[in-house]
Amino acid sequence: ADALLEMAAAVGVPKVVQIGCDVDYARASVELARTRPETIAVGVAVHPNDAAQLHERGGAAALDAAIDAIGALAQDDVVRAVGETGLDYFRTAEGLHAAQQHSFRRHIAMAVELDKALVIHDRDAHDDVLALLDSVPLPERVVFHCFSGDAAMARHCAQRGWFMSFAGPITYKANDGLREALAVVPDALLLVETDAPYLTPVPQRGKPNASYLMPHTVRFMAAQRGVDDAALCTLLYDNAQRAFGAW
């Protein structure tokens, strides 16, 4: 962890949001952040795919027990977000969609109760994610992690004041629709991320991702939006502090 944080800081990434996607990783993330609270903020949740697996193995009781454990961890001051939570229909059979939706609703309620940012995982489930979000009370800050929608979806999110965070796929040649979405995101709602160790940007695609590779994504985004690199860096830093709270 120390080496990765030093490498990130050396390229202008002084702080990170560490996501714990199941109870064990959430607990480890909180423990790590407690030793470096000026550098690391944390998001905790049961990932949608883990929610489906827990329900398949142990039923609703197992899933709810895991979400309860996340709720206890989420009360720590180093935890700035509940997530990533949401829906993932790419890896989950239709029969388990209801379990994911139940988990998503419980995490949303947790974020509202604790006044934490809500970080959303949305894969092949745009319509259901948006419909569910529009049906329940939401926390003040909502972040679409690794935004994967089109320009119409970006406008929908912008109308509701939801942050949209872009990662390495914005640099991939085939993703014209994603670049069209990037073009319509308001400055105040734009974020960047790695999803490390996945979604590594060009020209490092194929290698493990990490925060020190974020400059590739940021420079690409700046070119797409026709803005100065440094100006975009300032904007992204300030937006991250608004989305997750200053740390």
Side-chain angles (χ1 to χ4, degrees), residues 5-198:
L5 290 169
E6 289 172 6
M7 293 166 71
V11 299
V13 183
K15 300 173 185 288
V16 301
V17 179
Q18 164 64 23
I19 299 293
C21 286
D22 61 30
V23 175
D24 289 341
Y25 278 111
R27 185 174 293 112
S29 297
V30 168
E31 291 172 355
L32 177 67
R34 284 173 179 163
T35 69
R36 303 162 177 84
E38 72 289 344
T39 304
I40 303 175
V42 176
V44 296
V46 178
H47 189 282
N49 290 329
D50 290 286
Q53 292 168 12
L54 281 166
H55 191 279
E56 189 172 35
R57 293 196 303 264
L63 174 55
D64 281 331
I67 297 171
D68 289 342
I70 291 294
L73 289 167
Q75 297 180 53
D76 196 289
D77 287 343
V78 300
V79 176
R80 303 302 186 90
V82 173
E84 59 195 75
T85 181
L87 304 176
D88 187 323
Y89 294 169
F90 179 74
R91 296 188 184 280
T92 299
E94 186 173 354
L96 291 169
H97 289 183
Q100 286 193 350
Q101 292 164 8
H102 169 75
S103 177
F104 192 15
R105 290 178 183 275
R106 284 207 59 194
H107 282 86
I108 294 170
M110 187 190 306
V112 171
E113 179 183 354
L114 299 176
D115 190 25
K116 310 276 185 176
L118 177 70
V119 176
I120 294 172
H121 174 102
D122 165 29
R123 188 170 187 186
D124 289 0
H126 300 327
D127 290 345
D128 282 3
V129 166
L130 295 177
L132 196 154
L133 289 175
D134 282 340
S135 73
V136 297
L138 298 176
E140 181 180 352
R141 292 154 295 142
V142 174
V143 178
F144 270 77
H145 139 78
C146 287
F147 185 83
S148 59
D150 58 12
M153 181 173 168
R155 293 188 183 96
H156 181 102
C157 293
Q159 289 170 356
R160 288 153 177 76
W162 300 338
F163 290 93
M164 287 160 273
S165 184
F166 291 81
I170 196 68
T171 70
Y172 301 169
K173 185 175 181 180
N175 285 342
D176 288 338
L178 196 54
R179 288 183 281 277
E180 291 170 0
L182 174 66
V184 303
V185 177
D187 284 351
L189 299 177
L190 184 63
L191 293 171
V192 69
E193 66 178 283
T194 58
D195 196 35
Y198 310 112

